[in-house]
Amino acid sequence: MSALAGGAPAFVALGGGHGLSATLSALRLMSDQLTAVVTVADDGGSSGRLRDELGVLPPGDLRMALAALCDDSEWGRTWRDVLQHRFSSSGDLDRHAVGNLLIVALWELLGDTVEGLDWVAKLLGARGRVLPMAAVPLEIEADVDRGDGVTCVVRGQSAVAVVGERITQLRLVPEAPPACPEAVAAVEAADWVVLGPGSWFTSVLPHLLVPDLAAALHRTTARRVVVLNLEPDAGETDGMRAEDHIDVLRQHAPDLRVDAVVADPGAVEDVSVLVERTRAIGARLLLRQVGSSDGSARHDPLRLAAALRDVVDGFLGDVGTRTADA
């Protein structure tokens, strides 16, 4: 393990978009040894336009992760707001995020994706590092069951995200993309790896389909934690129950050992079924209220941090009951 004696553990969080931002907002309350490994398959909005025009990695999810890690000072918050600002116009700049343009500009100037992200992190005073999961832009491809015995192929993250029917299999194009070496090294050196929450098929599972990154997730000595969503996405996971998310994870990474699954009791229809599914992947279930008190389907950073702290401290049942293998 990489944590110094008595020091904070090293976390790697995998995902994309708002789900990854929620995880990072919680983890930054627990440690300053943070690495975000981010999906690079976005093909819509500002990111998709820059990707199509310049042939770069889509920067949007990377930008959001950087913003979530900004220093909690006037300097950090101001630059976070600059990064997140979107232009509004009747021209080509409409809906472009300033941070996307800044990141791509640094990539062109420096000729190095990771170095460019590190410079933005310095600007923000970020508590942690943000890395892409792959060295090339990716496309997501899904087999979709139309419900009448017909399976069709849906391609592109933005299309898969709104498919509204059962996804039976997920693939990446190219099929075996090169992983970001720094991301692989971070997973191997971590104390804890956190998967989810987030869009299950377009933000979480893609990490398991990059061969070198998947291999690192299997061989790392880090403990692995899965954080489930508070409700199904309207498109890609519509109708899926909490245990279905575990089944899909197991389908795409059958040999991946998971140590803990964190779920909000309000998002679980049958606890006994979810316990059975988590045991099937070698994990223990931790039920904690992690949603925002306003009733929205957003994870509250303080509550999620408390739940993850319970996992790290070895409390995987009722508070005060320490597991023997923790």
Side-chain angles (χ1 to χ4, degrees), residues 20-151:
L20 179 58
S21 293
T23 302
L24 296 174
S25 296
L27 291 177
R28 61 177 295 159
L29 301 174
M30 302 170 60
S31 176
D32 57 2
Q33 296 192 71
L34 304 179
T35 303
V37 178
V38 184
T39 51
V40 285
D42 194 359
D43 59 358
S46 171
S47 286
R49 290 156 62 190
L50 290 168
R51 169 181 174 163
D52 290 343
E53 185 170 342
L54 300 174
V56 296
L57 295 178
D61 285 353
L62 296 160
R63 182 198 82 246
M64 290 181 64
L66 285 161
L69 292 175
C70 77
D71 185 54
D72 190 21
S73 63
E74 183 181 11
W75 176 277
R77 291 190 297 270
T78 299
W79 280 109
R80 175 201 63 195
D81 293 345
V82 171
L83 245 65
Q84 298 287 61
H85 178 74
R86 290 184 185 272
F87 295 109
S88 178
S89 75
S90 58
D92 292 340
L93 281 176
D94 186 50
R95 303 307 299 159
H96 266 307
V98 173
N100 289 353
L101 301 175
L102 176 62
I103 290 169
V104 173
L106 281 164
W107 288 345
E108 289 193 350
L109 287 170
L110 300 172
D112 187 301
T113 299
V114 171
E115 187 180 0
L117 294 170
D118 286 344
W119 272 103
V120 179
K122 290 178 184 178
L123 177 66
L124 291 165
R127 294 188 59 183
R129 197 179 195 194
V130 173
L131 301 168
M133 73 173 185
V136 297
L138 305 176
E139 283 192 281
I140 291 175
E141 189 174 86
D143 294 337
V144 177
D145 182 359
R146 293 297 189 189
D148 54 2
V150 175
T151 298

